[in-house]
Amino acid sequence: MGLIDMSRHDFTTPDAPATVVRRQYLASASGDLAALRATLADDVEWTEMAGFPLAGTYRTPEGVTANVMERLAEEWADWLVHDDTYVVDGENVVVLARYTATNRATRKPLDVRVAHHFVVRGGLIVRFEQFVDTAKVREAMLD
């Protein structure tokens, strides 16, 4: 198992699991859903944690972007995932990160730590699971 220092990792090996995951984050941050879908396997299983507003498992690249990224953009202003620590063990990549955003309905800010577990095979994300303090997310959604 290896910890990747973001400041020293070049992410240049295109099919390396950490590189694929990093490309997904960059595509998400720039709103490039086509590039994000290109990081996902056709049979991807993307699970948003129980208790999170978008809880559930989504399949297909189009299903993930329509049911997660597009809905987040509708409900939150400036939704960003700040990925800071990568732990890599073969095809498994765990990313420690932070969500920041402002809820459009309440105007309340969100700033919460999160962990993401990815499985990458053949240069594509085949599985994703989110771990987040859902109470903090709900607080930002309540008046």
Side-chain angles (χ1 to χ4, degrees), residues 24-40:
Q24 179 272 148
Y25 283 123
L26 293 172
S28 179
S30 69
D32 188 345
L33 298 184
L36 192 150
R37 284 189 292 269
T39 67
L40 305 175

Side-chain angles (χ1 to χ4, degrees), residues 2-3 6-7 16 19 22 28 32 36 39 43 63 65-66 70 72 83-84 86 89 116 119 121 125 128 133 141:
L3 185 66
M6 291 287 291
S7 65
T19 304
R22 180 69 177 143
S28 179
D32 188 345
L36 192 150
T39 67
D43 60 349
T65 54
E70 290 178 25
L72 286 172
D83 52 321
D84 55 53
Y86 284 56
D89 184 14
H116 292 158
V119 177
R121 288 190 194 118
I125 296 166
F128 165 88
D133 183 347
M141 297 176 71

Side-chain angles (χ1 to χ4, degrees), residues 7-20:
S7 65
R8 292 187 301 151
H9 187 73
D10 64 11
F11 292 100
T12 58
T13 306
D15 288 342
T19 304
V20 173

Side-chain angles (χ1 to χ4, degrees), residues 123-140:
L124 295 171
I125 296 166
V126 297
R127 193 167 43 241
F128 165 88
E129 187 172 7
Q130 171 202 58
F131 301 90
V132 63
D133 183 347
T134 58
K136 291 281 188 192
V137 177
R138 295 250 178 232
E139 275 179 26

Side-chain angles (χ1 to χ4, degrees), residues 19-92:
T19 304
V20 173
V21 169
R22 180 69 177 143
R23 259 195 339 265
Q24 179 272 148
Y25 283 123
L26 293 172
S28 179
S30 69
D32 188 345
L33 298 184
L36 192 150
R37 284 189 292 269
T39 67
L40 305 175
D42 289 341
D43 60 349
V44 65
E45 289 186 6
W46 187 281
T47 302
E48 298 286 315
M49 187 170 171
F52 189 70
L54 306 175
T57 299
Y58 304 97
R59 291 171 175 78
T60 76
E62 293 77 16
V64 170
T65 54
N67 291 296
V68 179
M69 289 69 184
E70 290 178 25
R71 288 186 52 205
L72 286 172
E74 291 170 8
E75 297 173 18
W76 300 87
D78 303 317
W79 181 275
L80 284 175
V81 181
H82 308 271
D83 52 321
D84 55 53
T85 304
Y86 284 56
V87 181
V88 181
D89 184 14
E91 65 185 14
N92 292 284

